Amino acid sequence: MASSTREALVDTAAALLDEGGVESVTLREVGRRTGVSHNAPYKHFASKEVLLAAVATRELERQAALLAAAAERSRSPRALLRAAMHVYIAWARDHPARFKLVFGRWSVGSAELGVAADTAHGLLTGIVAAAQEAGALPGGDPVRLASLMRALVHGAADLASAGHLASDGKGHASPEQLVDDLIGYLDAAARAMRADPPAMEDGASG
């Protein structure tokens, strides 16, 4: 019963977050909307920040599950990379407040949130590394390259939500199309580097 109540409180907090952002989430309102006493949320969450950390944790766990499902469906490392980036875009578009919450600044520590974040980040980095190994991306630090991909998603999603990016409007592209462009450019760069490897700098051979 305690577990189901906790999940219901997290559900309600996520719904309030969708409706009005972080400011609309209070423990009292979450309790009222869930149909429990105003003291009940405090039995599960010491503060609003702890409750929001639980919302963020569940979001990351869901995204990790979506990435794992995409891995099972994809035919190649490049196709998986594209699918993973589109998963992130759909998340940012469908639940912008949750997306911003997850990647915002945190004032409380949460072991569960840390584990969920590490898992999701590890999955994305692994997808990038697999694409590098398959020759679909240039070599180098996969963590840094994953950060580049994710930075594009964040920026493109923000521009699209503000009306500054659309395939038939400003920017002449949707976030998905920009991601596909970037993957194509990186793939072409990787192929060019294999065909004509950069010359070793003087003294590099020791």
Side-chain angles (χ1 to χ4, degrees), residues 7-78:
E7 285 301 306
L9 292 169
V10 174
D11 285 340
T12 301
L16 285 168
L17 185 66
D18 290 340
E19 292 173 13
V22 171
E23 294 76 14
S24 68
V25 181
T26 66
L27 288 174
R28 180 177 289 274
E29 180 61 14
V30 167
R32 188 188 71 79
R33 285 274 198 105
T34 307
V36 297
S37 70
H38 67 272
N39 286 325
Y42 291 93
K43 297 178 181 178
H44 300 274
F45 305 102
S47 66
K48 168 181 172 175
E49 288 72 23
V50 175
L51 172 57
L52 289 172
V55 173
T57 297
R58 193 171 67 178
E59 284 297 300
L60 284 167
E61 290 172 346
R62 286 177 173 174
Q63 295 310 307
L66 289 173
L67 291 179
E72 294 182 359
R73 296 192 304 269
S74 297
R75 300 182 302 276
S76 68
R78 175 174 171 166

Side-chain angles (χ1 to χ4, degrees), residues 33-190:
R33 285 274 198 105
T34 307
V36 297
S37 70
H38 67 272
N39 286 325
Y42 291 93
K43 297 178 181 178
H44 300 274
F45 305 102
S47 66
K48 168 181 172 175
E49 288 72 23
V50 175
L51 172 57
L52 289 172
V55 173
T57 297
R58 193 171 67 178
E59 284 297 300
L60 284 167
E61 290 172 346
R62 286 177 173 174
Q63 295 310 307
L66 289 173
L67 291 179
E72 294 182 359
R73 296 192 304 269
S74 297
R75 300 182 302 276
S76 68
R78 175 174 171 166
L80 174 55
L81 177 64
R82 179 178 182 272
M85 292 299 99
H86 284 219
V87 164
Y88 269 90
I89 292 169
W91 180 19
R93 174 176 288 151
D94 296 342
H95 299 289
R98 301 185 195 187
F99 189 78
K100 290 179 180 179
L101 172 72
V102 168
F103 294 105
R105 189 181 298 275
W106 288 94
S107 60
V108 298
S110 168
E112 289 183 347
L113 179 56
V115 170
D118 288 345
T119 299
H121 184 63
L123 282 170
L124 179 58
T125 302
I127 289 169
V128 168
Q132 288 178 303
E133 188 173 341
L137 291 177
D141 181 3
V143 173
R144 182 169 177 170
L145 191 50
S147 295
L148 169 63
M149 304 293 296
R150 198 164 60 181
L152 174 65
V153 169
H154 281 251
D158 282 345
L159 287 172
S161 67
H164 298 302
L165 190 64
S167 57
D168 58 351
K170 293 182 179 180
H172 299 174
S174 67
E176 290 86 352
Q177 288 171 324
L178 288 185
V179 162
D180 292 348
D181 286 348
L182 178 59
I183 292 174
Y185 297 147
L186 291 172
D187 188 4

